Amino acid sequence: LRATTRDLQEEVAERVRQAESLRRREAELKTAQRIAALGSWEWDVWADRIHWSEELYRIYELSPEAFVPTPESVRNLVHPDDRAAVDAALKKTVGEGVPLILDHRIVLPNGAVKTVHQTGFAMRDKRGAAMLLHGTTQDVTERVKLEAAFRESEARLAAIMKHVPDAVITADERGVIDSFNAAAQEIFGHAESDAVGQNVRIL
């Protein structure tokens, strides 16, 4: 009887340890998702149910008590101009097994717009039909803004380089020419296509 009681106590203690370890892992996962602004989701295709992680609600600025994620309600959060692209990508993932990888915009409850990066894949049954879709959604709004600002800056610089009356030449640390404006072509007698990639010694 003592041995049985001791075995039972040890089993209970082990179950408590396992439960505590699981709680720690879940807390670590939530922290990691929050730091990365990365939420996870699961779509049960057969039951037509969607589960969102806590961070995903934060990204969409929605409350779990006020919003129930369904295929229709989630689609309504996609920016109207991006819905066709999202529909097409999901159709390929469900129907053809193509991994889901795309950026698209979402509209928040206050009307503000964010850009998210979606990834996902389908788990299939023995017949090849999609059963579950697992994926992640990351808020990449700031990255997209920075990329747009960089492209705008590059365009302004290119316009200046094209119209400035002085020769403007840029080269890397090895002396290899990166850019060669119109004035430089006229002054040095080299076409831009011939100069770029060459060492400045050709001048």
Side-chain angles (χ1 to χ4, degrees), residues 99-171:
L100 177 68
I101 304 173
L102 84 158
D103 290 357
H104 67 83
R105 292 165 294 172
I106 60 173
V107 181
L108 304 182
N110 62 6
V113 175
K114 284 184 179 179
T115 302
V116 295
H117 177 69
Q118 297 270 15
T119 62
F121 66 93
M123 294 181 64
R124 315 186 89 76
D125 62 18
K126 294 178 180 179
R127 296 172 299 168
M131 299 184 303
L132 288 171
L133 263 65
H134 293 279
T136 61
T137 302
Q138 185 171 28
D139 183 356
V140 293
T141 306
E142 291 307 313
R143 186 200 75 191
V144 170
K145 287 180 179 177
L146 287 172
E147 289 173 350
F150 180 71
R151 287 193 297 270
E152 186 179 338
S153 176
E154 279 194 322
R156 283 200 302 267
L157 179 60
I160 292 170
M161 290 272 288
K162 184 177 181 180
H163 297 101
V164 72
D166 299 319
V168 180
I169 302 161
T170 63

Side-chain angles (χ1 to χ4, degrees), residues 7-134:
D7 291 344
L8 183 59
Q9 289 173 337
E10 289 176 357
E11 183 179 345
V12 169
E14 177 59 26
R15 287 177 181 269
V16 169
R17 283 194 294 270
Q18 290 176 356
E20 182 58 33
S21 175
L22 179 60
R23 280 194 293 271
R24 281 199 305 271
R25 286 198 296 269
E26 288 177 344
E28 289 167 358
L29 177 60
K30 287 181 180 179
T31 300
Q33 287 193 351
R34 185 144 198 189
I35 291 171
L38 178 73
S40 58
W41 51 266
E42 181 182 280
W43 177 16
D44 184 333
V45 179
W46 286 356
D48 212 22
R49 288 196 302 262
I50 295 177
H51 170 75
W52 275 10
S53 71
E54 188 177 307
E55 183 58 27
L56 199 49
Y57 282 99
R58 286 197 190 93
I59 290 172
Y60 281 82
E61 299 184 16
L62 292 166
S63 163
E65 292 78 24
F67 179 79
V68 178
T70 66
E72 183 179 358
S73 66
V74 172
R75 185 180 186 275
N76 289 337
L77 299 173
V78 176
H79 192 286
D81 294 342
D82 295 350
R83 285 177 189 163
V86 173
D87 289 346
L90 281 171
K91 186 177 180 180
K92 285 187 176 182
T93 301
V94 174
E96 303 172 27
V98 177
L100 177 68
I101 304 173
L102 84 158
D103 290 357
H104 67 83
R105 292 165 294 172
I106 60 173
V107 181
L108 304 182
N110 62 6
V113 175
K114 284 184 179 179
T115 302
V116 295
H117 177 69
Q118 297 270 15
T119 62
F121 66 93
M123 294 181 64
R124 315 186 89 76
D125 62 18
K126 294 178 180 179
R127 296 172 299 168
M131 299 184 303
L132 288 171
L133 263 65
H134 293 279

Side-chain angles (χ1 to χ4, degrees), residues 169-172 175-180 195-200 202-203:
I169 302 161
T170 63
D172 64 18
V176 175
I177 296 171
D178 291 323
S179 64
F180 203 74
V196 172
Q198 299 295 322
N199 193 278
V200 291
I202 68 166
L203 307 180

